[in-house]
C-alpha cells in the first residue's frame, strides 16, 4: 500500500523490516529504481512466512537495519551521497551483510504499468463483519493453500492450537481464529474489521 501511494505521488521512500535475527532495507525512487512490487510481484501466501509474533525479533537487528534506513532517508532529504540501489540484507545471528542488485521491471504492475492495485483495494484482504456473531470474516484473494502443520508449529507457543484437514483453530488473548485451507478466516471476539485484519496479519501473515 505504501509502495503504491509513493509511486502514485512520485515520492521516494525507504522500505525497512525485521524479523527474528535478520532485517532488510531498500531505497525506492519512483521510475528510477526498482520498487517493492518489482521485488515481490505477489505477496507471499498467508501462513507461509514467520511474523514478529510467531518468530520473535531481536531488538539489535531492529536498531541495526533502522539505522541504515534512517541514513538513506537523510541522503534523500539532503540530495547528497550515494543511495542504496539494491536490497540490503543483514543477519546478526550469522554475521552476514549482503547487498543484492534489484532490476526495475518494465512489466511491474506498479512502477512499470501504473496499476495501483493496493490503493484501489483490488488485492489484499477483504473483510466482512458477520452480523450478530461478534465475528469478522477475512478473505485473501488468490492466497493458495495454507500448510496447517507448519503454521500450527509456529503458533503453538502463542496460544491453544488445533487443526485437522479442514481447519486450524487458534485461541489467543480472548480471540478465536478459525482458518480454512484457502486462507479464509473467521475471527471471533470482535466485530471491528480493522482489529480482525490486524489479528490476521499478526498471527497468520499476509
Amino acid at each position: 500500500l505504501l509502495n503504491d501511494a509513493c509511486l502514485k505521488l512520485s515520492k521516494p521512500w525507504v522500505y525497512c523490516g525485521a524479523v527474528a535475527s535478520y532485517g532488510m532495507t531498500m531505497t525506492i525512487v519512483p521510475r528510477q529504481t526498482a520498487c517493492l512490487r518489482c521485488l515481490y510481484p505477489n505477496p507471499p501466501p498467508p501462513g507461509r512466512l514467520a511474523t514478529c509474533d510467531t518468530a520473535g525479533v531481536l531488538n539489535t537487528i531492529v536498531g541495526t537495519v533502522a539505522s541504515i534506513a534512517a541514513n538513506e532517508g537523510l541522503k534523500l532529504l539532503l540530495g547528497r551521497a550515494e543511495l542504496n540501489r539494491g536490497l540490503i540484507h543483514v543477519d546478526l545471528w550469522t554475521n552476514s551483510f549482503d547487498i543484492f542488485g534489484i532490476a526495475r521491471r518494465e512489466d511491474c504492475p506498479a512502477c512499470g504499468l501504473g496499476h495501483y492495485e493496493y490503493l484501489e483495494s483490488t488485492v489484499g484482504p477483504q473483510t466482512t463483519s458477520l452480523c450478530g456473531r461478534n465475528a469478522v470474516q477475512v478473505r485473501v484473494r488468490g492466497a493458495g493453500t495454507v500448510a496447517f502443520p507448519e503454521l500450527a508449529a509456529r503458533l503453538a507457543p502463542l496460544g491453544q492450537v488445533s487443526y485437522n484437514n479442514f481447519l486450524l483453530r487458534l485461541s489467543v488473548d480472548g480471540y478465536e481464529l478459525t482458518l480454512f485451507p484457502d486462507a479464509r478466516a473467521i475471527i471471533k471476539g470482535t466485530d471491528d474489521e480493522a482489529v480482525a485484519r490486524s489479528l490476521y496479519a499478526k498471527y497468520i501473515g499476509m
Side-chain angles (χ1 to χ4, degrees), residues 63-177:
T64 300
V65 75
S67 294
I68 297 170
N71 201 61
E72 287 296 301
L74 288 173
K75 294 178 189 178
L76 285 168
L77 290 170
L78 295 172
R80 298 175 61 185
E82 182 67 25
L83 292 172
N84 163 37
R85 295 187 175 271
L87 177 75
I88 295 176
H89 183 280
V90 183
D91 191 329
L92 293 181
W93 213 248
T94 60
N95 297 317
S96 65
F97 186 104
D98 299 290
I99 303 176
F100 301 98
I102 307 295
R104 182 169 176 248
R105 294 177 44 217
E106 294 300 324
D107 63 343
C108 171
C111 73
L113 303 177
H115 299 158
Y116 306 120
E117 298 167 328
Y118 288 89
L119 282 179
E120 296 158 4
S121 298
T122 58
V123 294
Q126 308 296 313
T127 55
T128 305
S129 181
L130 305 179
C131 290
R133 296 180 57 186
N134 194 32
V136 175
Q137 175 178 263
V138 180
R139 182 183 295 275
V140 180
R141 297 177 184 173
T145 303
V146 178
F148 285 161
E150 180 184 328
L151 179 58
R154 287 204 304 269
L155 293 174
L158 305 177
Q160 184 178 351
V161 183
S162 61
Y163 71 94
N164 55 34
N165 290 334
F166 308 103
L167 59 85
L168 178 147
R169 182 164 289 143
L170 168 67
S171 297
V172 60
D173 295 334
Y175 300 101
E176 183 180 274
L177 288 76

Side-chain angles (χ1 to χ4, degrees), residues 15-24 49-66 89-96 154 202:
Y15 163 73
C16 182
V19 67
S21 63
Y22 64 90
M24 296 177 286
L49 299 180
T51 69
C52 293
D53 289 274
T54 60
V57 59
L58 286 176
N59 61 351
T60 49
I61 188 59
V62 173
T64 300
V65 75
H89 183 280
V90 183
D91 191 329
L92 293 181
W93 213 248
T94 60
N95 297 317
S96 65
R154 287 204 304 269
K202 181 176 182 178

Side-chain angles (χ1 to χ4, degrees), residues 35-58:
C35 77
L36 196 64
R37 196 89 189 266
C38 292
L39 180 63
Y40 299 111
N42 300 299
R48 188 66 55 87
L49 299 180
T51 69
C52 293
D53 289 274
T54 60
V57 59
L58 286 176

